[in-house]
């Protein structure tokens, strides 16, 4: 194989997609190029790709003027394929065979993360990264459309929830484009969406050291998204109604009606409260 392509790599080496690893491959070069272009310039950047599989996205990243690409692959057979191909790329490519859920991104200091994520672990992986999201400049990630809709959701929509607030607290979240199931091999049962995350700078994120508490507060209130929020803030505020009023909300407000910036203000109130001090 002189000229590498994802379809060529697939046909030559494995010719098999494994459901258990969420393998829905992208062979169309135009689509893979479009995904990588969402990240902007990769000049001199350290990039991580989760799950190279047959390498459609991998090859497009390697065409760029990057510093280094780390591919993290859990399927031993695909990891072996990339170890075989690695000498073609010298120092530019490093293959890491492991479960991305056990991989510490910090260990390779990436500037960018680009991936057509395995759907079975996509939200778990995002939640693993969110506490330290600011360590990376940009993430370009493919999700099933329903998860992508939740990530970008605005208040007063049925998709708006804990994950929307957590993601939009940490980053500017934007939809790049949708892909039909037919773009993948084998086609998944759902549509997919590429999302771009541009994390905010550490200094500008209120409560950055308190991810778990903010996440817990949001879990409490969104469990009953259509009920009065004040009933579910008792773990965080001695007088929830008063606190809500102080940020401009009626005591009858529901979880889905509070904007991301107001959840941040609410949380800031908590951080300065006696309850927070008592816990720390
Ligand atoms: N990047 C390829 C593409 O777009 O055609 C493959 C994408 S496929 C949706 C997901 C990839 O992630 C597969 O290569 C799969 O083996 C790999 N994978 C699945 N679970 C993983 C995990 N826990 N950690 C790392 N890689 C994983």
């Amino acid at each position: 194989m002189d000229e590498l392509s994802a379809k060529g790599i697939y046909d030559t080496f494995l010719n098999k997609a494994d459901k258990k690893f969420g393998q829905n491959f992208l062979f169309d070069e135009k689509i893979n190029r479009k995904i990588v272009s969402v990240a902007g310039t990769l000049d001199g950047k350290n990039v991580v790709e989760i799950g190279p599989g047959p390498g459609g996205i991998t090859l497009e990243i390697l065409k760029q003027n990057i510093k280094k690409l780390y591919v993290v692959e859990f399927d031993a057979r695909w990891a072996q394929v990339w170890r075989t191909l690695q000498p073609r790329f010298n120092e530019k490519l490093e293959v890491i065979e492991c479960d991305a859920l056990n991989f510490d991104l910090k260990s390779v200091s990436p500037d960018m993360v680009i991936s057509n994520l395995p759907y079975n672990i996509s939200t778990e992986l995002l939640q693993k990264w969110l506490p330290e999201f600011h360590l990376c400049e940009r993430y370009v990630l493919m999700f099933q459309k329903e998860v992508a809709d939740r990530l970008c959701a605005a208040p007063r929509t049925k998709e708006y929830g804990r994950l929307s607030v957590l993601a939009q607290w940490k980053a500017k979240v934007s939809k790049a484009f949708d892909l039909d199931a037919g773009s993948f091999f084998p086609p998944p049962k759902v549509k997919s969406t590429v999302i771009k995350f541009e994390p905010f700078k550490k200094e500008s994120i209120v409560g950055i050291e308190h991810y778990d508490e903010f996440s817990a507060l949001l879990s409490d209130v969104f469990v009953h998204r259509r009920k009065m929020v004040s009933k579910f803030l008792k773990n965080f505020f001695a007088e929830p109604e008063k606190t809500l009023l102080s940020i401009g909300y009626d005591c009858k407000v529901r979880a889905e009606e509070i904007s991301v910036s107001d959840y941040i203000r609410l949380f800031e109130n908590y951080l300065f409260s006696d309850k927070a001090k008592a816990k720390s």
Side-chain angles (χ1 to χ4, degrees), residues 6 18 20-27 32 35 49-58 72-78 96-103 114-121 125 142 184-185:
D18 192 336
K20 133 171 134 255
F21 287 110
Q23 293 178 349
N24 300 100
F25 301 133
L26 286 168
F27 292 137
N32 287 317
I35 293 170
E49 185 197 1
I50 305 300
I57 293 173
T58 320
V72 179
E73 178 58 69
F74 197 20
D75 183 342
R77 302 159 319 149
W78 281 116
I96 300 169
E97 182 182 333
C98 76
D99 182 347
L101 289 169
N102 296 328
F103 177 65
I114 304 176
S115 175
N116 169 15
L117 290 174
Y119 292 149
N120 46 344
I121 60 161
L125 206 46
M142 175 99 66
F184 298 82
F185 177 83

Side-chain angles (χ1 to χ4, degrees), residues 93-194:
L93 177 65
E94 186 170 325
V95 183
I96 300 169
E97 182 182 333
C98 76
D99 182 347
L101 289 169
N102 296 328
F103 177 65
D104 182 7
L105 273 184
K106 274 204 303 281
S107 66
V108 297
S109 312
D111 303 298
M112 308 272 181
V113 178
I114 304 176
S115 175
N116 169 15
L117 290 174
Y119 292 149
N120 46 344
I121 60 161
S122 64
T123 42
E124 198 179 344
L125 206 46
L126 181 69
Q127 291 184 85
K128 174 183 158 72
W129 294 337
L130 274 174
E132 295 190 301
F133 223 38
H134 55 277
L135 296 177
C136 205
E137 267 173 50
R138 217 160 296 151
Y139 300 73
V140 176
L141 306 173
M142 175 99 66
F143 292 92
Q144 69 181 78
K145 187 173 178 300
E146 178 242 325
V147 175
D149 288 344
R150 282 164 52 202
L151 289 166
C152 304
R156 297 172 186 274
T157 61
K158 68 177 188 328
E159 291 82 11
Y160 187 64
R162 178 180 151 274
L163 199 57
S164 332
V165 179
L166 286 174
Q168 295 172 39
W169 169 45
K170 289 299 186 103
K172 181 176 171 212
V173 186
S174 43
K175 267 190 194 181
F177 56 91
D178 291 334
L179 276 179
D180 285 330
S183 306
F184 298 82
F185 177 83
K189 290 201 174 72
V190 290
K191 273 194 171 184
S192 304
T193 303
V194 176

Side-chain angles (χ1 to χ4, degrees), residues 41-59:
T41 178
L42 297 184
D43 284 3
K45 304 287 186 191
N46 272 329
V47 184
V48 163
E49 185 197 1
I50 305 300
I57 293 173
T58 320
L59 294 173

